[in-house]
Amino acid sequence: DNGRTWSDPRIPSVIRSTSTRRFLTRLASGNLLLVKHGPIDRDVGRRDLMAFVSKDDGRTWEGGLMIDARSGVSYPDGQQTADGTIYLTYDFDRTGAREILFVKFTEADVLAKNVKAVNDSRKIVSKGSGRPRVPTCVYPPDAQHTTDSRAHVGIPSIALSPKTGRLWATWYGGITPGEDQNNYCVLSTSADGGRTWKEVLVADPDTWWSRRAFDPELWISPDGKLRWTWTDRIGTVTLEK
């Protein structure tokens, strides 16, 4: 009935995970891809980001490709291209290293646990290195939104334009090392398969009130348009933009 009511769970899930985003998608092969922290049946915290494949709609999982074993990696998001390549973004150490990272691999790499494919493709999309400074409102970005002014980055999302092959990535950051009214969202793009990136827009709504922009997402609609969404909070009120 279009989601109004649901049956009881038929098969208890074997998946265990910490409180953070997991990435799940159906691949061109028909199999499922899951990116989570640690082995399927373990909660290891925000470390050991791994990829798994299921050939039976999630009943069992194979592979276990290590994406990033460091503590402090989180919020993966990805997309598969027509040639089978899987693009993935995630964040690392939001107030320390302050990195948004990009890797690419294939379903075969996941099943073979081909760590070399991941390590060879890993790129830093953005690295914040700044100290706290007075916030401003700029759209598109200028010197106030450069990477060296960021004391906080995290929660990326990625989308691929099927018509042009252009990659888009978004995340949120800020000039103070935390989740507060100084957060704004960044939109970055790559025209060479993720080798180089350019930040083109920010969503920073601090025009006259203390407002926080965070948790952005990207989606390419069927008409080919890029849709960029984020959460905008004013005080204790949250609005979906």
Side-chain angles (χ1 to χ4, degrees):
D1 54 10
N2 292 320
R4 287 188 291 273
T5 61
W6 294 84
S7 65
D8 293 332
R10 301 297 185 188
I11 303 174
S13 175
V14 299
I15 299 172
R16 298 292 178 268
S17 181
T18 192
S19 177
T20 184
R21 178 198 285 170
R22 279 76 63 193
F23 173 64
L24 177 69
T25 191
R26 189 173 296 280
L27 300 173
S29 65
N31 297 330
L32 293 177
L33 172 74
L34 173 66
V35 180
K36 68 174 291 287
H37 294 88
I40 286 292
D41 59 351
R42 290 181 57 196
D43 178 352
V44 300
R46 295 191 179 192
R47 63 176 176 86
D48 294 344
L49 195 62
M50 302 174 70
F52 301 87
V53 166
S54 174
K55 299 178 180 178
D56 54 11
D57 268 351
R59 292 178 178 83
T60 60
W61 296 89
E62 302 177 36
L65 172 63
M66 182 64 71
I67 304 297
D68 199 317
R70 295 174 294 179
S71 177
V73 293
S74 63
Y75 276 72
D77 189 53
Q79 189 162 349
Q80 187 181 36
T81 64
D83 67 0
T85 303
I86 300 162
Y87 294 115
L88 192 82
T89 57
Y90 61 96
D91 62 51
F92 169 63
D93 194 10
R94 296 180 185 175
T95 59
R98 288 163 280 174
E99 293 178 352
I100 303 297
L101 295 117
F102 163 87
V103 295
K104 59 183 179 180
F105 51 90
T106 65
E107 181 178 356
D109 291 330
V110 176
L111 294 171
K113 302 181 183 180
N114 184 9
V115 176
K116 186 177 185 299
V118 173
N119 292 340
D120 288 350
S121 68
R122 185 176 287 108
K123 301 290 183 182
I124 296 177
V125 177
S126 178
K127 182 176 179 66
S129 59
R131 297 179 179 177
R133 65 187 350 177
V134 177
T136 185
C137 179
V138 179
Y139 192 91
D142 71 0
Q144 299 294 328
H145 294 89
T146 58
T147 56
D148 63 2
S149 71
R150 286 180 201 144
H152 177 93
V153 299
I155 309 187
S157 178
I158 192 170
L160 171 73
S161 173
K163 293 182 179 179
T164 66
R166 179 176 289 274
L167 284 166
W168 297 90
T170 186
W171 62 92
Y172 83 94
I175 58 174
T176 49
E179 300 180 351
D180 57 27
Q181 72 276 8
N182 295 315
N183 295 150
Y184 58 87
C185 299
V186 181
L187 182 66
S188 183
T189 187
S190 172
D192 56 11
R195 289 186 291 275
T196 59
W197 293 83
K198 181 180 180 181
E199 296 179 8
V200 292
L201 294 173
V202 297
D204 187 0
D206 280 323
T207 51
W208 52 281
W209 262 357
S210 293
R211 297 171 63 175
R212 179 185 175 217
F214 60 104
D215 287 9
E217 287 283 351
L218 293 174
W219 176 58
I220 304 292
S221 61
D223 61 3
K225 292 182 179 180
L226 176 68
R227 308 296 186 181
W228 187 25
T229 64
W230 66 90
T231 301
D232 184 341
R233 176 173 292 164
I234 307 173
T236 59
V237 177
T238 298
L239 305 175
E240 292 294 336
K241 291 295 185 183

